Coordinates of all heavy atoms in Angstrom, one line a residue:
M1 N -34.2 -3.5 -21.1 CA -34.8 -4.7 -21.1 C -36.1 -4.8 -21.8 O -36.2 -5.8 -22.6 CB -35.1 -5.0 -19.6 CG -35.6 -6.5 -19.3 SD -34.5 -7.8 -19.3 CE -34.2 -7.9 -17.6
A2 N -36.9 -3.9 -21.8 CA -38.2 -3.9 -22.4 C -38.0 -3.8 -23.9 O -38.5 -4.5 -24.8 CB -39.0 -2.7 -22.0
T3 N -37.0 -2.9 -24.3 CA -36.5 -2.8 -25.7 C -36.1 -4.2 -26.2 O -36.4 -4.5 -27.5 CB -35.5 -1.7 -25.9 OG1 -36.0 -0.4 -25.2 CG2 -35.2 -1.3 -27.4
Q4 N -35.1 -4.8 -25.5 CA -34.5 -6.0 -25.9 C -35.8 -7.1 -26.2 O -35.7 -7.7 -27.2 CB -33.5 -6.5 -24.9 CG -32.8 -7.8 -25.3 CD -32.0 -7.5 -26.6 OE1 -31.3 -6.6 -26.9 NE2 -32.0 -8.5 -27.5
H5 N -36.7 -7.2 -25.2 CA -37.8 -8.1 -25.3 C -38.5 -7.7 -26.6 O -39.0 -8.6 -27.3 CB -38.6 -8.1 -24.1 CG -38.1 -8.7 -22.9 ND1 -38.8 -9.0 -21.8 CD2 -36.9 -9.2 -22.7 CE1 -38.1 -9.7 -21.0 NE2 -36.8 -9.8 -21.4
Y6 N -38.8 -6.5 -26.9 CA -39.6 -6.1 -28.0 C -38.8 -6.4 -29.3 O -39.5 -6.9 -30.3 CB -39.8 -4.5 -28.0 CG -40.5 -4.0 -29.1 CD1 -42.0 -4.1 -29.1 CD2 -39.9 -3.3 -30.2 CE1 -42.7 -3.7 -30.2 CE2 -40.7 -2.8 -31.2 CZ -42.1 -2.9 -31.2 OH -42.8 -2.5 -32.2
I7 N -37.5 -6.3 -29.3 CA -36.8 -6.7 -30.5 C -36.9 -8.1 -30.8 O -37.1 -8.6 -31.8 CB -35.3 -6.1 -30.4 CG1 -35.1 -4.6 -30.4 CG2 -34.4 -6.7 -31.4 CD1 -33.9 -4.1 -30.0
E8 N -36.9 -8.9 -29.7 CA -37.0 -10.3 -29.7 C -38.4 -10.8 -30.1 O -38.7 -12.0 -30.2 CB -36.5 -10.9 -28.5 CG -35.1 -10.8 -28.3 CD -34.7 -11.1 -26.8 OE1 -35.5 -11.6 -25.9 OE2 -33.4 -10.9 -26.4
G9 N -39.3 -9.9 -30.2 CA -40.7 -10.2 -30.6 C -41.6 -10.6 -29.3 O -42.6 -11.2 -29.6
K10 N -41.1 -10.3 -28.1 CA -41.9 -10.9 -27.0 C -43.0 -9.9 -26.7 O -42.9 -8.7 -27.0 CB -40.9 -11.1 -25.7 CG -40.1 -12.3 -26.1 CD -39.0 -12.3 -24.8 CE -37.9 -13.4 -25.0 NZ -36.8 -13.4 -24.0
D11 N -43.9 -10.3 -25.9 CA -45.0 -9.4 -25.4 C -44.4 -8.5 -24.5 O -44.0 -9.0 -23.3 CB -46.1 -10.3 -24.9 CG -47.4 -9.4 -24.4 OD1 -47.3 -8.2 -24.7 OD2 -48.2 -9.9 -23.7
V12 N -44.5 -7.2 -24.7 CA -44.0 -6.2 -23.7 C -45.0 -5.4 -23.0 O -44.7 -4.2 -22.5 CB -42.8 -5.3 -24.4 CG1 -41.6 -6.2 -24.8 CG2 -43.4 -4.6 -25.6
T13 N -46.2 -6.0 -23.0 CA -47.3 -5.0 -22.6 C -47.1 -4.8 -21.0 O -47.3 -3.5 -20.5 CB -48.7 -5.9 -22.5 OG1 -48.9 -6.4 -23.9 CG2 -49.9 -5.1 -22.1
E14 N -46.6 -5.8 -20.3 CA -46.4 -5.5 -18.8 C -45.2 -4.6 -18.6 O -45.4 -3.6 -17.9 CB -46.1 -6.9 -18.0 CG -45.9 -6.7 -16.6 CD -45.6 -8.2 -16.0 OE1 -45.7 -9.1 -16.7 OE2 -45.1 -8.0 -14.7
W15 N -44.1 -4.7 -19.4 CA -43.0 -3.7 -19.3 C -43.4 -2.3 -19.7 O -43.0 -1.2 -19.0 CB -41.8 -4.2 -20.2 CG -41.1 -5.5 -19.6 CD1 -41.3 -6.8 -20.0 CD2 -40.1 -5.5 -18.5 NE1 -40.5 -7.5 -19.2 CE2 -39.7 -6.8 -18.4 CE3 -39.4 -4.4 -17.9 CZ2 -38.7 -7.2 -17.6 CZ3 -38.4 -4.8 -17.0 CH2 -38.1 -6.1 -16.9
A16 N -44.1 -2.3 -20.8 CA -44.4 -1.0 -21.3 C -45.4 -0.2 -20.2 O -45.3 1.0 -20.0 CB -45.3 -1.0 -22.6
S17 N -46.4 -1.0 -19.7 CA -47.2 -0.4 -18.6 C -46.4 0.0 -17.4 O -46.8 1.1 -16.8 CB -48.1 -1.3 -18.3 OG -48.9 -1.8 -19.4
M18 N -45.4 -0.8 -17.1 CA -44.6 -0.3 -15.9 C -43.9 0.9 -16.3 O -43.7 1.8 -15.4 CB -43.6 -1.4 -15.5 CG -44.2 -2.6 -14.9 SD -42.9 -3.9 -14.6 CE -43.9 -5.1 -13.5
A19 N -43.2 1.0 -17.5 CA -42.5 2.2 -17.9 C -43.3 3.5 -17.9 O -43.0 4.4 -17.4 CB -41.8 1.8 -19.3
K20 N -44.5 3.3 -18.4 CA -45.5 4.4 -18.5 C -45.9 4.9 -17.0 O -46.0 6.1 -16.9 CB -46.8 4.1 -19.4 CG -47.6 5.3 -19.7 CD -48.9 5.1 -20.4 CE -49.7 6.3 -20.5 NZ -50.0 7.0 -19.1
L21 N -46.1 3.9 -16.2 CA -46.5 4.3 -14.9 C -45.5 5.1 -14.2 O -45.7 6.1 -13.6 CB -46.9 3.0 -14.1 CG -47.3 3.1 -12.8 CD1 -48.7 3.9 -12.6 CD2 -47.3 1.8 -12.0
K22 N -44.2 4.4 -14.4 CA -43.0 5.2 -13.7 C -42.8 6.6 -14.4 O -42.5 7.5 -13.5 CB -41.8 4.2 -13.9 CG -40.6 4.7 -13.4 CD -40.6 4.7 -11.7 CE -39.2 5.3 -11.1 NZ -39.3 5.3 -9.7
A23 N -42.9 6.7 -15.7 CA -42.5 8.0 -16.3 C -43.7 9.0 -15.8 O -43.4 10.1 -15.6 CB -42.7 7.7 -17.8
G24 N -44.9 8.5 -15.7 CA -46.1 9.5 -15.3 C -45.8 9.9 -14.0 O -46.0 11.1 -13.6
R25 N -45.3 9.0 -13.0 CA -45.1 9.4 -11.5 C -43.9 10.3 -11.5 O -43.9 11.3 -10.8 CB -44.9 8.0 -10.8 CG -46.2 7.4 -10.6 CD -45.9 6.1 -9.8 NE -47.2 5.4 -9.3 CZ -47.3 4.3 -8.7 NH1 -46.2 3.5 -8.4 NH2 -48.5 3.9 -8.4
L26 N -42.9 10.1 -12.4 CA -41.7 11.0 -12.3 C -42.1 12.3 -12.9 O -41.6 13.5 -12.3 CB -40.6 10.4 -13.3 CG -39.6 9.5 -12.6 CD1 -38.7 8.8 -13.6 CD2 -38.8 9.9 -11.4
L27 N -43.0 12.3 -13.8 CA -43.3 13.7 -14.3 C -44.3 14.4 -13.4 O -44.7 15.6 -13.6 CB -44.1 13.4 -15.8 CG -43.2 13.6 -16.9 CD1 -43.8 12.9 -18.2 CD2 -42.8 15.1 -17.1
R28 N -44.8 13.8 -12.3 CA -45.5 14.4 -11.4 C -44.5 14.9 -10.3 O -44.7 16.1 -9.7 CB -46.5 13.5 -10.8 CG -47.7 13.2 -11.6 CD -48.4 12.0 -11.3 NE -49.4 12.3 -10.2 CZ -50.4 11.5 -9.9 NH1 -50.6 10.4 -10.5 NH2 -51.3 11.9 -8.9
S29 N -43.6 14.1 -9.8 CA -42.7 14.4 -8.7 C -41.6 15.4 -9.0 O -41.4 16.1 -8.1 CB -42.2 13.1 -8.1 OG -41.4 12.5 -9.0
V30 N -41.0 15.2 -10.2 CA -39.9 16.2 -10.5 C -40.3 17.6 -10.7 O -39.7 18.5 -10.0 CB -39.1 15.7 -11.7 CG1 -38.1 16.7 -12.3 CG2 -38.5 14.3 -11.4
P31 N -41.4 17.9 -11.5 CA -41.8 19.2 -11.6 C -42.3 19.8 -10.2 O -42.2 20.9 -9.9 CB -43.0 19.4 -12.6 CG -42.7 18.0 -13.5 CD -42.1 17.1 -12.5
D32 N -42.9 18.9 -9.4 CA -43.3 19.3 -8.1 C -42.2 19.9 -7.2 O -42.3 20.8 -6.6 CB -44.1 18.1 -7.5 CG -44.8 18.5 -6.1 OD1 -45.7 19.3 -6.1 OD2 -44.2 18.1 -5.0
A33 N -41.2 19.1 -7.3 CA -39.9 19.5 -6.5 C -39.4 20.7 -7.0 O -38.9 21.6 -6.3 CB -38.8 18.3 -6.6
C34 N -39.3 20.9 -8.5 CA -38.8 22.1 -9.0 C -39.7 23.3 -8.7 O -39.1 24.4 -8.3 CB -38.9 22.0 -10.7 SG -37.7 20.7 -11.2
L35 N -41.1 23.1 -8.7 CA -41.9 24.2 -8.3 C -41.6 24.6 -6.9 O -41.5 25.9 -6.4 CB -43.4 23.8 -8.5 CG -44.4 24.9 -8.5 CD1 -45.5 24.5 -9.5 CD2 -44.9 25.2 -7.2
Q36 N -41.5 23.6 -6.0 CA -41.3 24.0 -4.5 C -40.0 24.7 -4.4 O -39.8 25.6 -3.6 CB -41.2 22.6 -3.9 CG -41.1 22.7 -2.3 CD -42.4 23.2 -1.7 OE1 -43.5 23.2 -2.4 NE2 -42.3 23.9 -0.6
Y37 N -38.9 24.4 -5.1 CA -37.7 25.0 -5.2 C -37.7 26.5 -5.5 O -37.2 27.4 -4.8 CB -36.6 24.3 -6.1 CG -35.3 25.2 -6.3 CD1 -34.3 25.0 -5.3 CD2 -35.2 25.8 -7.4 CE1 -33.1 25.7 -5.4 CE2 -34.0 26.6 -7.5 CZ -33.0 26.4 -6.5 OH -31.9 27.2 -6.7
W38 N -38.6 26.8 -6.6 CA -38.8 28.2 -7.0 C -39.7 29.0 -6.0 O -39.6 30.2 -6.1 CB -39.4 28.1 -8.4 CG -38.4 28.1 -9.5 CD1 -37.9 26.9 -10.0 CD2 -37.6 29.0 -10.1 NE1 -36.9 27.1 -10.9 CE2 -36.8 28.5 -11.1 CE3 -37.7 30.4 -10.2 CZ2 -36.0 29.2 -11.8 CZ3 -37.0 31.1 -11.0 CH2 -36.0 30.5 -11.9
G39 N -40.5 28.2 -5.2 CA -41.4 28.9 -4.4 C -42.4 29.6 -5.1 O -42.9 29.1 -6.1
G40 N -42.8 30.7 -4.7 CA -43.9 31.6 -5.3 C -43.7 31.9 -6.8 O -44.6 31.9 -7.5
M41 N -42.4 32.1 -7.0 CA -42.0 32.3 -8.5 C -42.4 31.1 -9.3 O -42.9 31.3 -10.6 CB -40.6 32.6 -8.6 CG -40.2 34.2 -8.3 SD -41.0 35.2 -9.5 CE -40.0 34.8 -11.0
G42 N -42.0 30.0 -8.9 CA -42.4 28.6 -9.6 C -44.0 28.5 -9.9 O -44.4 28.0 -10.9
Y43 N -44.7 29.2 -9.0 CA -46.2 29.0 -9.1 C -46.9 30.0 -10.1 O -48.0 29.8 -10.5 CB -46.8 29.3 -7.7 CG -48.2 28.9 -7.6 CD1 -48.7 27.6 -7.4 CD2 -49.3 29.8 -7.3 CE1 -49.9 27.1 -7.3 CE2 -50.5 29.6 -7.2 CZ -50.9 28.1 -7.2 OH -52.2 27.8 -7.0
T44 N -46.1 31.1 -10.4 CA -46.7 32.0 -11.4 C -46.7 31.5 -12.9 O -45.8 30.6 -13.2 CB -46.0 33.3 -11.3 OG1 -44.6 33.1 -11.7 CG2 -45.9 33.9 -9.9
W45 N -47.5 32.0 -13.7 CA -47.6 31.4 -15.1 C -46.4 31.9 -16.0 O -46.1 31.4 -16.9 CB -48.9 32.1 -15.8 CG -50.2 31.3 -15.4 CD1 -51.2 31.9 -14.8 CD2 -50.4 30.0 -15.5 NE1 -52.3 30.9 -14.4 CE2 -51.7 29.7 -15.0 CE3 -49.8 28.9 -16.0 CZ2 -52.3 28.5 -14.9 CZ3 -50.3 27.6 -16.0 CH2 -51.6 27.4 -15.4
D46 N -45.8 33.0 -15.4 CA -44.6 33.5 -16.1 C -43.4 32.6 -16.0 O -42.5 32.6 -17.0 CB -44.1 34.8 -15.6 CG -45.0 35.9 -15.7 OD1 -45.9 35.8 -16.7 OD2 -45.0 36.9 -15.0
N47 N -43.4 31.5 -15.1 CA -42.2 30.7 -15.0 C -42.6 29.3 -15.7 O -43.6 28.7 -15.6 CB -42.0 30.5 -13.4 CG -40.7 29.8 -13.1 OD1 -40.5 28.7 -13.8 ND2 -40.1 30.4 -12.2
P48 N -41.6 28.9 -16.4 CA -41.8 27.6 -17.3 C -42.1 26.4 -16.3 O -42.5 25.4 -16.8 CB -40.4 27.5 -18.2 CG -39.4 28.5 -17.6 CD -40.3 29.5 -16.7
V49 N -41.6 26.5 -15.2 CA -41.8 25.4 -14.1 C -43.3 25.1 -14.0 O -43.7 24.0 -13.9 CB -41.0 25.6 -12.9 CG1 -41.5 24.6 -11.9 CG2 -39.5 25.5 -13.0
S50 N -44.1 26.2 -13.9 CA -45.5 26.2 -13.7 C -46.1 25.5 -14.9 O -47.0 24.7 -14.7 CB -46.1 27.7 -13.6 OG -47.3 27.6 -13.3
R51 N -45.6 25.8 -16.1 CA -46.1 25.1 -17.4 C -45.9 23.5 -17.4 O -46.7 22.7 -17.6 CB -45.5 25.7 -18.6 CG -45.9 25.1 -19.8 CD -47.3 25.6 -20.5 NE -47.7 24.7 -21.4 CZ -47.5 25.0 -22.8 NH1 -46.9 26.1 -23.0 NH2 -48.0 24.3 -23.8
L52 N -44.5 23.3 -16.9 CA -44.2 21.9 -16.8 C -45.0 21.1 -15.9 O -45.4 19.8 -15.9 CB -42.7 21.7 -16.5 CG -42.0 20.5 -16.3 CD1 -42.0 19.9 -17.8 CD2 -40.6 20.6 -15.8
Y53 N -45.3 21.8 -14.7 CA -46.0 21.2 -13.5 C -47.5 20.7 -14.1 O -47.9 19.8 -13.8 CB -46.2 22.1 -12.4 CG -47.0 21.7 -11.3 CD1 -46.2 21.0 -10.3 CD2 -48.2 22.0 -11.0 CE1 -46.8 20.5 -9.1 CE2 -48.9 21.7 -9.8 CZ -48.3 20.8 -9.0 OH -48.8 20.4 -7.8
R54 N -48.0 21.6 -14.9 CA -49.4 21.3 -15.4 C -49.3 20.3 -16.5 O -50.1 19.3 -16.6 CB -50.1 22.6 -15.9 CG -51.5 22.4 -16.4 CD -52.1 23.6 -17.0 NE -53.2 23.4 -17.9 CZ -54.5 23.3 -17.4 NH1 -54.8 23.4 -16.2 NH2 -55.4 23.1 -18.3
D55 N -48.4 20.5 -17.6 CA -48.3 19.7 -18.8 C -47.8 18.2 -18.3 O -48.4 17.3 -18.9 CB -47.2 20.3 -19.7 CG -47.8 21.5 -20.5 OD1 -49.0 21.8 -20.2 OD2 -47.1 22.0 -21.2
G56 N -46.9 18.2 -17.5 CA -46.5 16.9 -17.1 C -47.6 16.0 -16.4 O -47.5 14.8 -16.5
R57 N -48.5 16.5 -15.8 CA -49.6 15.9 -15.3 C -50.4 15.0 -16.2 O -51.0 13.9 -15.8 CB -50.6 17.0 -14.6 CG -51.6 16.5 -13.6 CD -50.8 15.9 -12.4 NE -51.7 15.3 -11.4 CZ -52.2 14.2 -11.6 NH1 -52.1 13.5 -12.6 NH2 -53.2 13.7 -10.8
L58 N -50.4 15.5 -17.4 CA -51.1 14.7 -18.4 C -50.6 13.2 -18.6 O -51.4 12.3 -19.0 CB -51.1 15.4 -19.8 CG -52.0 14.7 -21.0 CD1 -53.4 14.7 -20.7 CD2 -51.6 15.4 -22.3
A59 N -49.3 13.0 -18.4 CA -48.7 11.6 -18.5 C -49.4 10.6 -17.7 O -49.5 9.5 -18.1 CB -47.2 11.7 -18.2
S60 N -50.0 11.0 -16.6 CA -50.7 10.0 -15.7 C -52.1 9.9 -16.1 O -52.9 9.1 -15.4 CB -50.5 10.5 -14.2 OG -49.2 10.4 -13.8
I61 N -52.6 10.6 -17.0 CA -54.0 10.5 -17.5 C -54.2 10.1 -18.9 O -54.8 9.1 -19.1 CB -54.7 12.0 -17.4 CG1 -54.6 12.3 -15.8 CG2 -56.0 11.9 -17.8 CD1 -55.0 13.9 -15.6
G62 N -53.4 10.7 -19.9 CA -53.5 10.5 -21.3 C -53.0 9.1 -21.6 O -52.0 8.6 -21.0
G63 N -53.6 8.4 -22.7 CA -53.2 7.2 -23.1 C -53.3 6.0 -22.2 O -52.7 5.0 -22.2
G64 N -54.3 6.2 -21.2 CA -54.5 5.2 -20.1 C -54.0 5.7 -18.8 O -52.7 6.0 -18.6
A65 N -54.9 6.1 -17.9 CA -54.5 6.6 -16.6 C -53.6 5.6 -15.7 O -53.6 4.4 -16.0 CB -55.7 6.9 -15.8
D66 N -52.8 6.1 -14.8 CA -52.1 5.3 -13.9 C -52.8 4.1 -13.4 O -52.3 2.9 -13.4 CB -51.6 6.1 -12.8 CG -50.3 7.0 -13.1 OD1 -50.0 7.1 -14.3 OD2 -49.7 7.5 -12.1
E67 N -54.0 4.3 -13.0 CA -54.8 3.2 -12.5 C -55.1 2.2 -13.4 O -55.2 0.9 -13.2 CB -56.2 3.8 -12.0 CG -56.1 4.6 -10.7 CD -55.6 6.1 -11.0 OE1 -55.5 6.3 -12.2 OE2 -55.2 6.8 -10.1
V68 N -55.2 2.6 -14.8 CA -55.4 1.5 -15.8 C -54.1 0.7 -16.1 O -54.0 -0.5 -16.2 CB -55.7 2.3 -17.1 CG1 -55.8 1.3 -18.3 CG2 -57.2 3.0 -17.0
M69 N -52.9 1.4 -15.9 CA -51.7 0.7 -16.0 C -51.5 -0.3 -14.9 O -51.0 -1.4 -15.0 CB -50.4 1.8 -15.9 CG -50.3 2.7 -17.0 SD -50.2 1.9 -18.7 CE -51.9 2.3 -19.5
L70 N -51.9 0.2 -13.7 CA -51.8 -0.8 -12.5 C -52.7 -2.0 -12.7 O -52.3 -3.1 -12.4 CB -52.2 0.0 -11.3 CG -51.2 1.0 -10.7 CD1 -51.9 1.8 -9.6 CD2 -50.0 0.1 -10.1
G71 N -53.8 -1.8 -13.4 CA -54.8 -2.8 -13.7 C -54.2 -3.9 -14.6 O -54.3 -5.1 -14.5
I72 N -53.6 -3.4 -15.7 CA -52.8 -4.2 -16.7 C -51.7 -5.0 -16.1 O -51.5 -6.2 -16.2 CB -52.3 -3.3 -17.9 CG1 -53.5 -2.6 -18.6 CG2 -51.4 -4.1 -18.8 CD1 -53.0 -1.6 -19.7
I73 N -50.9 -4.2 -15.3 CA -49.7 -4.9 -14.5 C -50.3 -6.1 -13.6 O -49.8 -7.2 -13.7 CB -48.8 -3.9 -13.8 CG1 -48.2 -2.9 -14.7 CG2 -47.8 -4.5 -12.9 CD1 -47.7 -1.6 -14.1
S74 N -51.3 -5.7 -12.9 CA -51.8 -6.7 -11.9 C -52.3 -7.9 -12.6 O -52.1 -9.1 -12.3 CB -52.9 -6.0 -11.1 OG -52.5 -4.9 -10.4
K75 N -53.0 -7.6 -13.7 CA -53.6 -8.8 -14.6 C -52.5 -9.6 -15.1 O -52.6 -10.9 -14.9 CB -54.3 -8.2 -15.8 CG -55.2 -9.1 -16.5 CD -56.0 -8.4 -17.6 CE -56.6 -9.4 -18.6 NZ -57.2 -8.7 -19.7
H76 N -51.4 -9.1 -15.6 CA -50.3 -9.9 -16.1 C -49.5 -10.6 -15.0 O -49.0 -11.6 -15.2 CB -49.3 -9.0 -16.8 CG -49.6 -8.8 -18.3 ND1 -49.1 -9.3 -19.3 CD2 -50.8 -8.0 -18.8 CE1 -49.7 -9.0 -20.5 NE2 -50.6 -8.2 -20.2
M77 N -49.6 -10.1 -13.7 CA -48.9 -10.7 -12.6 C -49.8 -11.7 -11.9 O -49.5 -12.2 -10.9 CB -48.3 -9.6 -11.8 CG -47.2 -8.7 -12.2 SD -46.8 -7.5 -11.1 CE -45.3 -8.1 -10.6
H78 N -51.1 -11.8 -12.5 CA -52.1 -12.6 -11.9 C -52.3 -12.3 -10.3 O -52.4 -13.2 -9.5 CB -51.7 -14.2 -11.9 CG -51.4 -14.4 -13.4 ND1 -52.4 -14.5 -14.4 CD2 -50.2 -14.6 -14.0 CE1 -51.8 -14.9 -15.5 NE2 -50.4 -15.0 -15.4
T79 N -52.4 -11.0 -10.2 CA -52.7 -10.6 -8.7 C -54.2 -10.0 -8.5 O -54.4 -9.5 -7.4 CB -51.6 -9.5 -8.3 OG1 -51.6 -8.5 -9.1 CG2 -50.2 -10.1 -8.2
L80 N -55.0 -10.1 -9.6 CA -56.3 -9.7 -9.4 C -57.2 -10.8 -8.8 O -56.8 -11.9 -9.3 CB -56.8 -9.2 -10.7 CG -56.4 -7.7 -11.1 CD1 -57.0 -7.3 -12.4 CD2 -56.8 -6.7 -10.1
P81 N -58.1 -10.6 -8.1 CA -59.1 -11.6 -7.8 C -59.8 -12.3 -8.9 O -60.0 -11.5 -9.9 CB -60.0 -10.9 -6.9 CG -59.7 -9.5 -6.6 CD -58.5 -9.2 -7.6
A82 N -60.0 -13.4 -9.0 CA -60.5 -14.2 -9.9 C -62.0 -13.7 -10.3 O -62.7 -13.5 -9.2 CB -60.6 -15.6 -9.8
H83 N -62.4 -13.4 -11.5 CA -63.8 -13.0 -11.8 C -64.7 -14.3 -11.9 O -64.4 -15.3 -12.3 CB -63.9 -12.3 -13.1 CG -63.3 -11.1 -13.0 ND1 -63.7 -9.8 -12.4 CD2 -62.1 -10.5 -13.6 CE1 -63.0 -8.8 -12.6 NE2 -61.9 -9.2 -13.3
R84 N -65.9 -14.3 -11.3 CA -66.8 -15.4 -11.1 C -68.1 -15.0 -12.0 O -68.4 -14.0 -12.1 CB -67.1 -15.6 -9.7 CG -65.9 -16.2 -9.0 CD -66.2 -16.6 -7.6 NE -65.0 -16.7 -6.7 CZ -64.3 -17.8 -6.5 NH1 -64.9 -18.9 -7.1 NH2 -63.3 -17.9 -5.8
Ligands
FAD101 C1 -54.5 17.4 -23.7 C2 -55.2 16.1 -24.0 C3 -54.8 15.4 -25.2 C4 -55.3 14.3 -25.5 N1 -55.0 13.7 -26.8 C5 -55.6 12.6 -27.2 C6 -55.2 12.1 -28.5 O1 -54.4 12.6 -29.2 N2 -55.7 10.8 -28.9 C7 -56.6 10.1 -28.1 O2 -57.0 9.2 -28.4 N3 -56.9 10.7 -26.8 C8 -56.4 11.8 -26.4 N4 -56.8 12.3 -25.1 C9 -57.7 11.6 -24.3 C10 -56.9 10.8 -23.3 O3 -56.3 9.6 -23.8 C11 -57.9 10.4 -22.2 O4 -58.2 11.7 -21.5 C12 -57.4 9.3 -21.3 O5 -57.4 8.2 -21.9 C13 -58.2 9.2 -20.1 O6 -59.6 9.1 -20.3 P1 -60.7 10.0 -19.6 O7 -60.3 11.4 -19.7 O8 -61.9 9.6 -20.1 O9 -60.5 9.6 -18.0 P2 -61.2 8.4 -17.3 O10 -60.9 7.1 -18.1 O11 -62.6 8.7 -17.0 O12 -60.4 8.3 -16.0 C14 -60.6 9.3 -15.0 C15 -60.0 8.7 -13.8 O13 -60.8 7.5 -13.4 C16 -60.0 6.4 -12.9 N5 -60.0 5.2 -13.7 C17 -60.4 5.1 -15.0 N6 -60.3 3.9 -15.4 C18 -59.9 3.1 -14.5 C19 -59.7 1.7 -14.2 N7 -59.9 0.9 -15.2 N8 -59.4 1.4 -12.9 C20 -59.2 2.2 -12.0 N9 -59.4 3.6 -12.2 C21 -59.7 4.0 -13.3 C22 -58.6 7.0 -12.9 O14 -58.2 7.6 -11.6 C23 -58.6 8.0 -14.0 O15 -57.6 9.0 -13.7 C24 -56.1 13.7 -24.7 C25 -56.5 14.2 -23.6 C26 -56.0 15.3 -23.2 C27 -56.4 16.0 -21.8

């Protein structure tokens, strides 16, 4: 849907922010579940899951933190209180 809108030349700021927010949250929850599955082994640096757990965390910070994405989405949905 976002790609189609982009191709049509529409503003996809809201869609892109939603996609980034969702991707960041997935990159937190999936490695977390994987690490839990591996138990203590997943927690050690020798295990690639441990690396993924740390590296995936950046997605919710870099290029605009999750909170920034939420701010952009809220602004586009006109759900922020009006500034006076
Ligand atoms: C490994 C790595 C590589 C990087 N590479 C690049 C790069 O190649 N190019 C580049 O330009 N930058 C790069 N960065 C910088 C990255 O883009 C910033 O770290 C990111 O934008 C977040 O800014 P910050 O670290 O100053 O955190 P801050 O902006 O200080 O955010 C810290 C926390 O404050 C809160 N917060 C911040 N703003 C708001 C808000 N408006 N509303 C509500 N809460 C808020 C959030 O909880 C957020 O997580 C990189 C960072 C890292 C760690």
Side-chain angles (χ1 to χ4, degrees):
M1 182 79 96
T3 309
Q4 186 61 41
H5 282 194
Y6 181 75
I7 290 167
E8 290 167 5
K10 293 177 185 166
D11 180 11
V12 292
T13 306
E14 189 181 343
W15 286 96
S17 302
M18 285 178 170
K20 188 187 179 297
L21 179 67
K22 181 69 180 177
R25 286 178 171 177
L26 276 173
L27 269 164
R28 289 163 78 166
S29 63
V30 173
D32 184 67
C34 291
L35 196 150
Q36 189 68 23
Y37 171 80
W38 276 86
M41 274 297 290
Y43 194 69
T44 63
W45 286 120
D46 293 341
N47 194 306
V49 167
S50 184
R51 174 81 192 267
L52 186 65
Y53 184 79
R54 183 184 160 90
D55 286 358
R57 197 63 185 76
L58 181 63
S60 291
I61 299 169
D66 279 6
E67 289 77 10
V68 175
M69 295 304 114
L70 283 169
I72 293 169
I73 295 163
S74 301
K75 192 177 167 188
H76 277 253
M77 295 176 108
H78 306 289
T79 53
L80 282 181
H83 292 287
R84 294 176 193 272

